[in-house]
Amino acid sequence: MYLRENPVLQRELLVNLRMNRAFLLLLTYVLLLSAAVMFAWPKAQRLDMSANPEDGKTLVELIFLEQYLLASLMAPSFAAGAITGEKERKSYEMLLASPLRPEAIVLGKLLASLTHLAVLIFCSLPIVMLCLPLGGVSLYEVLAVYLAVILSTITFGMISLAASSYFRRTSSSLVVSYLLVLPLALAGLFFWQALANQPSLRLLACVTVLPAITLLICTPLFVATSRRLLHPPDVGSEGKEVVDEEAEQRQAVGLIIQRDKFPDMLFAPAKRDDLLEDGANPIFDKEMRSEIFAQGTLMLRVVIMVSMALAVPMMAGFLFFWPDQAPWYVSYVILFNMLVGPVFSAGSVTSERERETLDLLLVTLLSPWQILWGKLVSALRVATVLTCFLLWPLVLACGLVSTYWPNWQTVLGYVAIVLLTSVTTSTLALFCSVVFRKTSVAMMMSYLLMALLFMSPIALVEFGRSFIIGATSWLDGVAFLTPFGAAFSLPLDHRLLGDHVRAGNWNVWFGFVAFDLALIGALIGAMLWLFKVRWRVAS
């Protein structure tokens, strides 16, 4: 019942592994990995492995880093919707009423959600074996690191599956999973780099410490998730699709919103008890007064608590003790916005499709521009407020730390980068919501496009500096494409600490602003065209 005769596992494997996108993802991953190895392969015709064994070691380290990042970024995307998907398809209660034990359901969902990712990881094994003759790394180290990647994948998947059991929507489960998984992934990466010069200690940690940590994390989560399925608190036909705001407020811990008090009345206006004014946008009015509770206050509370818990030590270190490292804290705020921003925008239009109200909306007298800006601004306000919870320490540090006083232009540049990134992520997620039909697909495509847009230039620069001779000059020119490059390009005068002035390049910042504004304009123009042409004709 747990493995060989587990219908949940069998059904999920048949559905997931036989889809066209599964083969397309596998082909794309293998081609990208092969291309990276081809460009990084040593150019010398004859290699002296005794004199330069670092060639193979660097190349294998690059592949392992890609595998680890793949596990940390994709494990939540596969597992975070395993149980919430049943709730959204209205099949959750039927699954719980089946003869399957809760442990079998959890195990089947976990294995099925991670099998595709395991296939991707093992597909790289022949490429790694091809790099072994270059020297610098042994077969035992390769097998130990593959064990570490597999255990990390299981850990990240179990965390995401547990989050999926506590939420009703995949979007909420996904963002909480990323908030929990990414700090663990960064800690593991830091630990791995700290042992770079001690391969024997790395090998010992992979076969002893990491399995113990995986068991310590996964066992309680597996037991807690199974118990939650055995005695589910979120089943029954009590009309739970309708949010009871008063009940939400009574049960809320750490998130109390008083709609008639300032500044809550700006963030979440009170329910309207009169008629709309002439010329008012009903889409904007409706979304502003109700959308904040659509994802549930549990998700908002978890996001606030986890993000602040991570921000406090980073704020103290990067802003107060080492003010010259302020771009690292700005990068954390940007990464947080990349995770949270799509949650409130990716379902703006797809939810209308899922409720079968999009056709009714399109035949009203409202113009596409009124529909789009009403949904964009209402979703943007939530993501921006959550991001500002982490942004205000930067403004506070500017007033308390004297090092920032002569750098007020740079601090304003940091704030502008974060705010512009917030608009970009929400607009990109709204575009995906217009193009795709399901909220889960729109959200995953939003994360994928943001990773390609913001992360790939950094990866390209680092890869070029490590493996392509003479590529630094043209690689530095792509820094304006990403907010991280713009943040690190700003000058920072920290002579008060006895250090030199870090030269900056304001041209990169201006290039980033111009590029993002052009991107936002292009996305809005494309959405207006789709509404005017494709969607109105289709309706």
Side-chain angles (χ1 to χ4, degrees):
M1 179 177 290
Y2 287 93
L3 290 177
R4 296 185 59 182
E5 299 180 358
N6 191 328
V8 173
L9 177 60
Q10 295 175 359
R11 186 260 178 191
E12 297 283 346
L13 289 179
L14 288 176
V15 172
N16 293 336
L17 296 182
R18 290 187 177 182
M19 299 179 67
N20 294 332
R21 62 184 180 186
F23 294 97
L24 182 61
L25 179 62
L26 179 61
L27 176 63
T28 304
Y29 175 71
V30 174
L31 288 178
L32 290 177
L33 190 61
S34 302
V37 173
M38 182 182 68
F39 283 108
W41 194 266
K43 300 301 185 295
Q45 295 182 354
R46 301 186 62 180
L47 296 176
D48 186 0
M49 291 183 292
S50 61
N52 189 20
E54 294 297 323
D55 291 333
K57 182 178 180 180
T58 304
L59 194 54
V60 173
E61 288 278 351
L62 173 66
I63 297 176
F64 289 151
L65 179 61
E66 292 179 354
Q67 302 277 9
Y68 186 73
L69 293 178
L70 177 76
S72 59
L73 293 177
M74 297 190 66
S77 66
F78 287 125
I83 298 178
T84 54
E86 301 286 348
K87 298 175 182 178
E88 293 171 344
R89 292 189 298 267
K90 309 296 182 183
S91 58
Y92 182 54
E93 296 182 10
M94 292 187 291
L95 178 63
L96 297 181
S98 66
L100 285 173
R101 297 181 60 86
E103 294 83 0
I105 297 176
V106 175
L107 183 61
K109 289 288 187 181
L110 178 63
L111 294 179
S113 59
L114 298 181
T115 300
H116 196 184
L117 186 57
V119 171
L120 294 178
I121 293 174
F122 282 110
C123 279
S124 65
L125 190 57
I127 301 177
V128 175
M129 292 303 175
L130 184 65
C131 301
L132 284 181
L134 294 177
V137 63
S138 66
L139 177 62
Y140 298 105
E141 291 177 314
V142 171
L143 297 179
V145 172
Y146 264 90
L147 174 63
V149 173
I150 292 297
L151 292 177
S152 301
T153 303
I154 295 174
T155 304
F156 299 155
M158 190 66 242
I159 293 174
S160 303
L161 186 64
S164 181
S165 66
Y166 279 88
F167 295 96
R168 288 185 168 274
R169 296 195 178 189
T170 302
S171 57
S172 302
S173 173
L174 191 63
V175 67
V176 172
S177 300
Y178 275 122
L179 284 175
L180 297 175
V181 165
L182 289 183
L184 289 177
L186 293 177
L189 184 62
F190 176 80
F191 175 77
W192 181 259
Q193 294 297 328
L195 300 179
N197 298 324
Q198 301 179 7
S200 58
L201 191 57
R202 266 187 181 182
L203 182 63
L204 181 63
C206 288
V207 298
T208 57
V209 178
L210 189 57
I213 295 177
T214 301
L215 191 64
L216 185 63
I217 294 176
C218 293
T219 302
L221 291 178
F222 185 87
V223 173
T225 306
S226 301
R227 288 180 177 177
R228 186 173 179 84
L229 296 187
L230 182 61
H231 304 285
D234 50 356
V235 298
S237 55
E238 297 92 358
K240 292 184 177 179
E241 291 81 3
V242 180
V243 178
D244 187 351
E245 184 175 330
E246 295 182 358
E248 289 278 353
Q249 291 291 338
R250 289 195 299 267
Q251 299 173 4
V253 178
L255 183 65
I256 304 297
I257 296 178
Q258 298 180 356
R259 291 178 177 265
D260 57 341
K261 301 294 181 62
F262 182 85
D264 295 352
M265 60 185 303
L266 301 178
F267 176 60
K271 290 184 177 181
R272 179 176 292 278
D273 55 3
D274 56 351
L275 298 177
L276 280 173
E277 300 85 358
D278 293 339
N281 189 340
I283 299 295
F284 175 73
D285 188 80
K286 174 257 180 185
E287 298 287 345
M288 285 292 292
R289 297 177 187 274
S290 61
E291 186 62 22
I292 185 175
F293 290 104
Q295 302 292 341
T297 55
L298 175 60
M299 190 274 289
L300 293 176
R301 294 197 299 271
V302 173
V303 166
I304 293 174
M305 289 187 292
V306 173
S307 60
M308 292 302 296
L310 295 175
V312 168
M314 299 183 68
M315 173 188 66
F318 293 143
L319 296 183
F320 292 93
F321 293 106
W322 304 289
D324 56 306
Q325 302 297 327
W328 287 104
Y329 182 79
V330 177
S331 300
Y332 168 71
V333 179
I334 294 172
L335 182 61
F336 172 81
N337 180 262
M338 290 173 58
L339 295 177
V340 175
V343 177
F344 304 98
S345 298
S348 298
V349 180
T350 54
S351 61
E352 301 285 352
R353 287 197 185 93
E354 293 166 350
R355 293 194 299 263
E356 299 182 355
T357 57
L358 181 60
D359 290 342
L360 298 176
L361 182 62
L362 294 177
V363 297
T364 62
L365 298 178
L366 294 173
S367 65
W369 170 246
Q370 288 178 299
I371 298 174
L372 286 176
W373 81 257
K375 288 185 173 293
L376 177 61
V377 174
S378 61
L380 180 62
R381 88 194 190 278
V382 186
T384 304
V385 169
L386 293 176
T387 304
C388 288
F389 284 152
L390 306 180
L391 189 60
W392 71 265
L394 180 63
V395 181
L396 180 64
C398 185
L400 297 179
V401 182
S402 59
T403 306
Y404 293 112
W405 294 349
N407 296 286
W408 61 270
Q409 302 98 330
T410 298
V411 174
L412 290 180
Y414 291 152
V415 174
I417 290 173
V418 173
L419 295 180
L420 190 57
T421 302
S422 181
V423 178
T424 304
T425 55
S426 297
T427 307
L428 185 61
L430 182 61
F431 174 77
C432 292
S433 183
V434 171
V435 174
F436 298 98
R437 293 186 175 275
K438 293 184 178 181
T439 301
S440 57
V441 178
M443 181 166 297
M444 288 311 306
M445 286 304 301
S446 301
Y447 285 132
L448 178 60
L449 292 177
M450 282 191 301
L452 292 176
L453 185 63
F454 295 156
M455 300 295 190
S456 57
I458 301 175
L460 181 62
V461 169
E462 294 300 324
F463 181 83
R465 288 176 176 173
S466 302
F467 297 102
I468 302 178
I469 301 176
T472 305
S473 58
W474 63 268
L475 285 174
D476 289 339
V478 302
F480 73 93
L481 297 175
T482 168
F484 303 103
F488 279 92
S489 68
L490 294 180
L492 193 61
D493 185 355
H494 47 280
R495 285 176 293 184
L496 295 179
L497 298 178
D499 205 344
H500 63 281
V501 178
R502 189 179 70 192
N505 187 358
W506 279 97
N507 292 330
V508 176
W509 184 87
F510 284 110
F512 165 74
V513 172
F515 173 76
D516 266 30
L517 291 177
L519 177 62
I520 293 171
L523 291 174
I524 293 177
M527 287 186 288
L528 290 174
W529 179 80
L530 286 174
F531 264 86
K532 291 179 180 178
V533 179
R534 179 178 179 181
W535 305 122
R536 285 195 179 275
V537 173
S539 61

